[in-house]
Amino acid sequence: AALEASAVPITAARYSRMAVLTHATAAAATVAISRRAAALPPPDLLAKAPLAPQQLREQAAVLYTPPPVKGTSTPDQIGLAEHLSRSGAKFYGAYWCGFCLKQRAMFGAGGSRRLPYVECAEGGYQADAALCEARRVTGYPSWEIGGKLYSGMKSLPELQRLSGFNPAVQFPAPEPPPPPPSPPPTPPA
């Protein structure tokens, strides 16, 4: 029955390996679609349950996570991240924030997993927008250290100083940004 449902009939003139494979694929797709359609509840049943679509939307909500950080962490980077967590500091950010990703990348992959990160963006995984509003976070990234809020990206030495992390640790100076690309050559006149 599934072979009859296919739109591509096999004739003696078209009897080739490709025609058979195409015919079998089309038949299998038709059967798969009809099975999925049979799994849906009838429309009259859906009409009697007005809350069902809303519940389905809530269950199917997509939550976003910040992009992963790549690169290894030094023991000092991990130590600073753990110190920030232990001291009650908070790193406020948003999954879509490029500067937040750069801030996390300063700690390397292992250190970024230990940061006291608070997701402020609605739709973010484990978002706590109420806490961000209560702390009056207006930009990302922001740091709350010792009860004070600091806006903007901070270097590791700045975070070390603000949090009272071991001053004997020497973090390397941040790398300067790459130069802007040169403009394309102008065509001769």
Side-chain angles (χ1 to χ4, degrees):
L3 294 176
E4 294 172 20
S6 174
V8 182
I10 295 180
T11 62
R14 298 179 115 192
Y15 188 73
S16 68
R17 179 178 168 85
M18 184 54 101
V20 171
L21 290 175
T22 302
H23 184 71
T25 304
T30 303
V31 170
I33 290 171
S34 64
R35 283 187 185 147
R36 275 188 248 130
L40 295 174
D44 59 328
L45 183 61
L46 285 175
K48 293 177 186 174
L51 295 180
Q54 177 63 28
Q55 290 170 343
L56 289 175
R57 275 195 298 275
E58 289 172 4
Q59 290 174 357
V62 175
L63 298 176
Y64 298 96
T65 59
V69 170
K70 297 182 176 156
T72 58
S73 300
T74 66
D76 291 335
Q77 291 168 320
I78 292 172
L80 176 57
E82 289 175 344
H83 169 76
L84 289 165
S85 291
R86 281 192 311 268
S87 68
K90 299 278 187 243
F91 168 34
Y92 299 101
Y95 65 87
W96 45 260
C97 169
F99 289 106
C100 299
L101 176 60
K102 289 178 184 178
Q103 180 76 80
R104 291 174 41 245
M106 288 181 189
F107 289 87
S112 71
R113 285 191 295 270
R114 291 170 173 87
L115 286 173
Y117 181 73
V118 177
E119 178 64 52
C120 293
E122 292 290 336
Y125 179 68
Q126 296 180 339
D128 195 350
L131 175 63
C132 299
E133 284 183 34
R135 297 291 192 262
R136 294 193 170 107
V137 175
T138 57
Y140 312 116
S142 290
W143 288 90
E144 183 179 4
I145 302 172
K148 290 184 71 180
L149 193 65
Y150 302 92
S151 292
M153 199 165 62
K154 305 291 177 216
S155 67
L156 296 182
E158 284 178 287
L159 292 170
Q160 176 183 27
R161 182 182 53 77
L162 292 171
S163 68
F165 184 64
N166 183 357
V169 172
Q170 294 293 315
F171 290 105
E175 293 182 25
S182 56
T186 55

